[in-house]
Amino acid sequence: MVGVQISEKEALGTKMYKALQKLLGKEREGNNSDAALLKVELQEKEAELQRLRRESRLERERTTYLTEAGIEKALEQVMTNIAGPLANLSAMQARYRQDGNIKVADLLSVAIKIEASLHDFGFEAFGAVGETTSFDPGLHHLLDADIPVEGEPVVVRFTGYRYKGRTIRKAMVRKVSEITKEQLPDGTGI
């Protein structure tokens, strides 16, 4: 009887052991299939990431190309606008070399045309020579060693320039007190 009971226990244990193995095997298979699914999903995500990186790189290249093309086109337009006045200037230089004479009015006319052409693109002069204005360190460069207090009156000696509202060359100024004795070549005071 004891031997029979052991056999039954062994048989029951073996059955249970086999059932557990089957169950564990299925779980392992499930884990393997879950792992395989995760691996496939990871590969898909990596492929998508690579695609997005390529798209991003291509978009950056496209943006760079369009920006450079826009800059090139704008510069070409500026050059086209000032080509006429520069041709006039070149002709004046040739006349000057030939006979040593040039009309100041013609030269000033060319300068005005160039300035007007550049103005169309956002380039503008500020501070007319001889103009008295309040000192602003953001707009003015003092030609004297003694810096005035902001708001103190100064006289413009050289015009300043802005490009699209940003100062690119400050107007050169002197204190009013130091300018009163100086005269322009035409006899007027600055």
Side-chain angles (χ1 to χ4, degrees):
M1 186 115 162
V2 172
V4 172
Q5 283 182 339
I6 292 176
S7 294
E8 287 177 3
K9 282 183 180 180
E10 282 179 347
L12 185 60
T14 303
K15 274 185 171 178
M16 286 178 68
Y17 178 75
K18 286 183 180 179
L20 279 173
Q21 267 190 328
K22 239 184 190 180
L23 186 62
L24 287 174
K26 284 184 180 176
E27 190 174 301
R28 279 192 207 121
E29 285 174 14
N31 283 344
N32 284 342
S33 73
D34 285 348
L37 285 174
L38 287 174
K39 188 174 182 179
V40 167
E41 213 175 298
L42 179 62
Q43 289 171 341
E44 288 172 354
K45 296 295 182 190
E46 285 175 347
E48 184 178 352
L49 180 61
Q50 289 300 321
R51 181 187 59 78
L52 291 172
R53 284 182 177 154
R54 274 191 310 275
E55 284 178 13
S56 177
R57 180 181 46 79
L58 290 172
E59 186 61 28
R60 273 193 313 274
E61 289 172 1
R62 181 179 171 275
T63 301
T64 300
Y65 171 77
L66 290 175
T67 301
E68 289 172 356
I71 290 169
E72 188 69 29
K73 185 173 179 150
L75 282 172
E76 183 179 340
Q77 193 171 2
V78 169
M79 297 304 142
T80 300
N81 280 8
I82 65 171
L86 289 175
N88 290 343
L89 188 58
S90 180
M92 284 183 216
Q93 288 173 333
R95 277 195 309 264
Y96 181 75
R97 275 184 249 132
Q98 187 177 12
D99 62 16
N101 195 4
I102 192 168
K103 294 180 183 175
V104 175
D106 290 344
L107 187 59
L108 291 175
S109 172
V110 170
I112 289 167
K113 288 177 186 174
I114 291 173
E115 193 171 83
S117 292
L118 293 174
H119 187 269
D120 293 343
F121 295 96
F123 184 78
E124 65 179 322
F126 67 91
V129 174
E131 172 185 20
T132 300
T133 187
S134 299
F135 181 71
D136 179 345
L139 299 175
H140 302 125
H141 175 79
L142 195 64
L143 294 170
D144 307 315
D146 194 22
I147 298 175
V149 177
E150 190 169 341
E152 189 175 332
V154 292
V155 176
V156 176
R157 294 300 304 241
F158 298 94
T159 301
Y161 291 94
R162 288 188 195 105
Y163 177 67
K164 295 188 176 187
R166 189 179 59 112
T167 301
I168 58 173
R169 172 129 173 118
K170 293 181 179 183
M172 302 219 180
V173 298
R174 283 223 162 116
K175 284 182 161 184
V176 171
S177 60
E178 296 179 18
I179 250 345
T180 54
K181 295 178 184 176
E182 292 188 32
Q183 298 283 317
L184 284 174
D186 65 2
T188 60
I190 300 181

